[in-house]
Amino acid sequence: MTMWDARDVRSASLPDLVRMCAPIVQQLEVTKLRQDATTPQGERRSSDAVPMVFRIGAAEVAGRITEVLRSILAAWVSEQERPVHRMLTVPQLVASLDPLRDWVVKHAQAETWHDRLLEQCLKALEQIDIPPERVFAGSCPSAGCGVELWPVMGEDVTVCPRCKAQVDVHARRREGLRRIEGYEAPLPRIVDTLRAAGEKITYDQARQWATRKDVRGRVLLRSVGHDQHGSRLYRLGDVRSVMMRTTRRKTRRSQNA
């Protein structure tokens, strides 16, 4: 949960909204299970690696907040005829804009900036406050609807809050996971992605599969290479296959016990 609610954000002045952006963006960045699960730039190793279907808006909202702050600072820099530093982080942008409060509120674009920041900060609160036990199941498949669906983890069927259509959660997850079996990434990111899809998997389990050897001296989960930073890469489909085999073995043992 954030330190503010929607009422606080709606009543904030433009300078106050600017100051709120740093902690809001920080909270967006640490909500790992609600991250934008897309193939990272520079780490695309296979033509099969496509943007993941478990698309969650936290990173998008953080990007839009950053764009608004940069546009405000760029306007001041332009009027002062000084070089602009477009790659400043959100905390740096907030620190740069704080001494310019009087200029900001009197600017001709102040109302537009306020409305844009307000919209994105409210969207940020929605992303941050999504309960951790809920998982993204894509958008409603009904024609013309498109509402994001957030069923409780383990729920078999969810009902669209807008059009009331019933959606098979398991079928959506299976379909989405099949589409991204070729995705390659470091093991923690694969685990995050599977957990964001509602799979029950822990980091410790995945690490054991990648390190523990069988009687033939082979590990259950083999890496497929390394990224540009030297981290081992694993294929999502491989991790899911090991996970499913392990689950089936445990089920058989419990039935035979």
Side-chain angles (χ1 to χ4, degrees):
M1 298 291 287
T2 63
M3 64 186 73
W4 309 287
D5 60 23
R7 290 171 299 180
D8 297 322
V9 174
R10 290 185 188 280
S11 62
S13 65
L14 179 54
D16 288 339
L17 277 178
V18 170
R19 281 194 292 270
M20 289 179 175
C21 286
I24 283 178
V25 168
Q26 183 181 32
Q27 290 194 50
L28 286 171
E29 291 175 350
V30 299
T31 52
K32 283 190 175 182
L33 295 188
R34 295 183 288 282
Q35 68 184 345
D36 250 340
T38 54
T39 306
Q41 292 295 324
E43 296 183 22
R44 191 166 287 153
R45 300 183 65 253
S46 167
S47 59
D48 295 328
V50 296
M52 296 188 181
V53 294
F54 310 109
R55 188 166 178 77
I56 304 162
E60 287 186 358
V61 175
R64 293 189 187 117
I65 289 174
T66 305
E67 288 174 6
V68 178
L69 296 178
R70 285 176 177 168
S71 68
I72 297 174
L73 184 59
W76 181 81
V77 168
S78 176
E79 293 179 12
Q80 302 298 315
E81 297 183 350
R82 298 184 182 183
V84 62
H85 300 285
R86 297 187 182 279
M87 300 311 295
L88 295 179
T89 63
V90 169
Q92 291 171 330
L93 288 164
V94 171
S96 299
L97 290 170
D98 195 54
L100 309 176
R101 292 186 299 273
D102 292 340
W103 173 87
V104 168
V105 297
K106 294 176 182 177
H107 197 275
Q109 293 293 313
E111 186 174 346
T112 299
W113 292 333
H114 179 275
D115 291 347
R116 289 175 63 193
L117 268 187
L118 175 61
E119 178 185 9
Q120 297 308 320
C121 286
L122 290 174
K123 287 183 178 180
L125 296 189
E126 293 176 3
Q127 293 292 331
I128 292 167
D129 290 340
I130 293 170
E133 68 273 11
R134 290 189 177 271
V135 294
F136 188 55
S139 300
C140 177
S142 297
C145 185
V147 169
E148 288 188 353
L149 302 175
W150 289 91
V152 175
M153 188 176 292
E155 194 173 38
D156 295 329
V157 177
T158 191
V159 177
C160 174
R162 176 183 291 172
C163 71
K164 307 305 178 185
Q166 288 194 347
V167 178
D168 185 331
V169 175
H170 286 299
R172 296 296 296 276
R173 282 175 48 202
R174 286 194 300 269
E175 174 191 350
L177 288 171
R178 280 197 298 268
R179 288 176 53 192
I180 58 170
E181 285 186 341
Y183 175 66
E184 299 169 359
L187 199 54
R189 188 175 294 138
I190 295 289
V191 173
D192 281 342
T193 303
L194 289 170
R195 291 178 63 183
E199 298 285 359
K200 294 181 179 180
I201 179 175
T202 67
Y203 300 106
D204 285 341
Q205 285 175 323
R207 279 194 292 267
Q208 287 178 10
W209 297 335
T211 56
R212 185 176 296 173
K213 297 182 179 179
D214 61 16
V215 293
R216 298 180 180 178
R218 299 178 302 187
V219 293
L220 289 174
L221 181 63
R222 299 178 62 182
S223 67
V224 294
H226 296 79
D227 65 11
Q228 57 192 2
H229 306 295
S231 299
R232 290 181 183 271
L233 295 174
Y234 295 84
R235 187 174 289 111
L236 183 140
D238 295 343
V239 178
R240 190 161 177 260
S241 294
V242 174
M243 180 182 65
M244 294 171 69
R245 289 201 304 271
T246 303
T247 300
R248 284 196 293 267
R249 281 200 299 269
K250 288 181 179 178
T251 301
R252 285 198 297 269
R253 282 201 295 267
S254 63
Q255 291 174 342
N256 297 329

